[in-house]
Amino acid sequence: MKMPAAGAMLCSSMLVFFILSTSPLTADGAAKCNKSDKQALLAVSIALNGNKPFPAWTDEIPCCEWSGVDCDPNLGNGRVTGLHIFADASISGSIPSAVADLPFLSVLVFHKLPNLVGSVPPSIIRLTRLSLLELSWNSLSGPVPSFLSRISSLTFLGLAFNQFSGEIPPELSLLQNLGALHLDRNQLTGPIPASFGSFRKSSPPDLYLSHNNLSGEIPLELGTPEWGIIDLSRNWLTGDATVLFGSAKPTTQIDLSRNRFAFDLSRVSFPVNLTLLDLSHNMISGSIPVQINRVSSLVGFNVSYNRLCGEIPSGPVTGRYGQDVYFHNKCLCGSPLPACRKK
Ligand SMILES: *[C@@H]1O[C@H](CO)[C@@H](O)[C@H](O)[C@H]1NC(C)=O
Ligand SMILES: *[C@@H]1O[C@H](CO)[C@@H](O)[C@H](O)[C@H]1NC(C)=O
Ligand SMILES: *[C@@H]1O[C@H](CO)[C@@H](O)[C@H](O)[C@H]1NC(C)=O
Ligand SMILES: *[C@@H]1O[C@H](CO)[C@@H](O)[C@H](O)[C@H]1NC(C)=O
């Protein structure tokens, strides 16, 4: 075999070196990063970090590998699909409108940022692929924006633990792909919109409205969707919540505790797959239906602080609980409370 000329050898070893040093960037689609997405990410970080990019987001690392950034390897062209910024008290300011310059974003999370203030930028409706929007445990304020209803791709909307105020925008029910809606732990006022009865009947979102200042009667329309989880606890809601019940409903959790609901519990049959039923601290009257003892998966149960009366129907379910889930009613009696007085 002929020895290759020195020049050719140098050339081929340079070529090998060149291939080795660049292949990790070009072969792996996620490793390179679209320039326009990188610019948008830098603008987001500069807005949140006192006019400097996050220190960990350096030019040496492709932006798809920056902490908190995801690119979908299946897209193969270095487009940013996920942004997670969380648990950082040094971040301050409001949600930068530059997030809307990440057109392939499907997951956007700003979570536990105590100094994140202001509201949600309207530009966010440009994110037509956005599926999960989680903006919880921050200090966001102002009304819950009705324009969120225009991001029809949303499957999860989480605005819990902020200082949002004003009424719940009825338009949110236009989000027909939602699997969960978290508006809990804000300062929302006014009624539950009747439009919430027009969420998809067979697969409405799990609905979390607890710890607000909602008031008014529960709309009749709320009885139409077959809720999986409905948590209305700790508000000022009134009226007849019997529409939420029915043994054929697939509901697993109903929490109405600490409201001002007033209805006759005797008229109710419980969804058979309930695991949580908290009715405590209301003005509910009547007696506990015998059918409760067929709700065999029930774990969390509480009817204390109401106006119930009559004998607790003894059985496998009611027998699981101590006095504290039954006490402070008008005239409930029987085990585990004191025996009913003979008539
Ligand atoms: C990067 O994004 C821009 C703006 O969306 C787009 O025009 C461009 O084609 C993308 N580049 C690549 C290599 O995908
Ligand atoms: C919530 O509503 C109650 C009763 O309407 C009122 O007394 C209270 O001040 C309200 N709280 C807030 C934070 O708005
Ligand atoms: C209760 O759960 C069982 C088991 O998952 C299911 O087959 C049944 O359809 C559920 N019942 C209702 C009323 O949703
Ligand atoms: C039921 O609710 C009452 C009133 O809020 C509370 O004191 C009691 O501890 C609760 N019991 C259970 C088991 O959650």
Side-chain angles (χ1 to χ4, degrees), residues 234 257-258 278-281 299-305 321-328:
R234 293 183 188 251
S257 62
R258 293 180 190 263
D278 195 342
L279 304 179
S280 62
H281 287 275
V299 181
F301 174 66
N302 207 329
V303 295
S304 64
Y305 293 88
Y321 308 98
Q323 294 196 9
D324 62 330
V325 313
Y326 300 109
F327 61 20
H328 283 271

Side-chain angles (χ1 to χ4, degrees), residues 2-342:
K2 250 174 83 181
M3 292 292 286
M9 215 160 100
L10 184 63
C11 209
S12 65
S13 66
M14 272 174 67
L15 186 66
V16 167
F17 175 73
F18 182 74
I19 289 168
L20 281 179
S21 65
T22 58
S23 63
L25 296 179
T26 52
D28 174 10
K32 70 183 164 72
C33 184
N34 181 286
K35 264 191 188 150
S36 141
D37 286 0
K38 182 176 173 182
Q39 287 314 309
L41 289 171
L42 286 172
V44 168
S45 80
I46 286 167
L48 293 172
N49 192 45
N51 278 323
K52 316 177 286 291
F54 297 142
W57 287 10
T58 64
D59 276 334
E60 286 76 63
I61 307 171
C63 76
C64 286
E65 291 167 25
W66 287 350
S67 62
V69 174
D70 290 327
C71 295
D72 184 349
N74 300 321
L75 278 174
N77 56 0
R79 302 311 304 251
V80 171
T81 54
L83 177 60
H84 307 76
I85 299 178
F86 57 92
D88 189 341
S90 72
I91 281 172
S92 65
S94 50
I95 298 172
S97 58
V99 293
D101 298 330
L102 296 164
F104 284 79
L105 212 55
S106 73
V107 173
L108 179 59
V109 177
F110 287 89
H111 175 67
K112 289 203 174 172
L113 307 172
N115 300 309
L116 188 73
V117 297
S119 193
V120 187
S123 62
I124 205 164
I125 64 169
R126 301 210 312 263
L127 296 174
T128 55
R129 293 174 174 84
L130 195 61
S131 171
L132 184 149
L133 179 60
E134 170 76 279
L135 305 175
S136 57
W137 296 70
N138 303 304
S139 300
L140 302 175
S141 61
V144 171
S146 60
F147 58 72
L148 293 174
S149 66
R150 291 165 64 184
I151 314 175
S152 56
S153 49
L154 282 180
T155 60
F156 180 101
L157 177 57
L159 304 178
F161 279 93
N162 281 288
Q163 285 133 42
F164 286 111
S165 57
E167 300 201 355
I168 299 175
E171 296 88 346
L172 291 183
S173 64
L174 297 172
L175 294 168
Q176 290 284 316
N177 296 310
L178 269 192
L181 175 59
H182 291 260
L183 301 177
D184 46 305
R185 295 196 186 246
N186 280 289
Q187 292 156 18
L188 302 175
T189 53
I192 300 175
S195 67
F196 276 23
S198 62
F199 276 117
R200 274 197 308 211
K201 181 178 177 353
S202 64
S203 54
D206 291 339
L207 186 61
Y208 298 89
L209 303 179
S210 72
H211 292 84
N212 277 293
N213 232 0
L214 301 174
S215 60
E217 296 209 351
I218 186 168
L220 263 180
E221 289 85 346
L222 228 55
T224 304
E226 297 175 332
W227 307 102
I229 295 175
I230 183 160
D231 183 356
L232 309 180
S233 62
R234 293 183 188 251
N235 281 289
W236 297 89
L237 296 164
T238 57
D240 181 353
T242 54
V243 291
L244 299 178
F245 294 87
S247 56
K249 294 207 171 168
T251 314
T252 59
Q253 297 184 26
I254 299 178
D255 191 345
L256 306 181
S257 62
R258 293 180 190 263
N259 278 286
R260 324 216 77 209
F261 289 118
F263 56 91
D264 180 355
L265 194 64
S266 324
R267 285 169 36 220
V268 152
S269 69
F270 300 107
V272 292
N273 287 338
L274 274 184
T275 60
L276 174 80
L277 177 64
D278 195 342
L279 304 179
S280 62
H281 287 275
N282 279 287
M283 302 184 309
I284 301 168
S285 58
S287 55
I288 301 175
V290 176
Q291 185 254 0
I292 186 85
N293 282 306
R294 292 214 290 275
V295 187
S296 54
S297 43
L298 196 63
V299 181
F301 174 66
N302 207 329
V303 295
S304 64
Y305 293 88
N306 276 294
R307 296 183 180 168
L308 297 171
C309 213
E311 181 156 24
I312 297 167
S314 66
V317 175
T318 51
R320 288 172 192 163
Y321 308 98
Q323 294 196 9
D324 62 330
V325 313
Y326 300 109
F327 61 20
H328 283 271
N329 271 287
K330 195 168 147 210
C331 42
L332 266 188
C333 57
S335 176
L337 296 178
C340 301
R341 284 169 49 189
K342 291 217 178 75

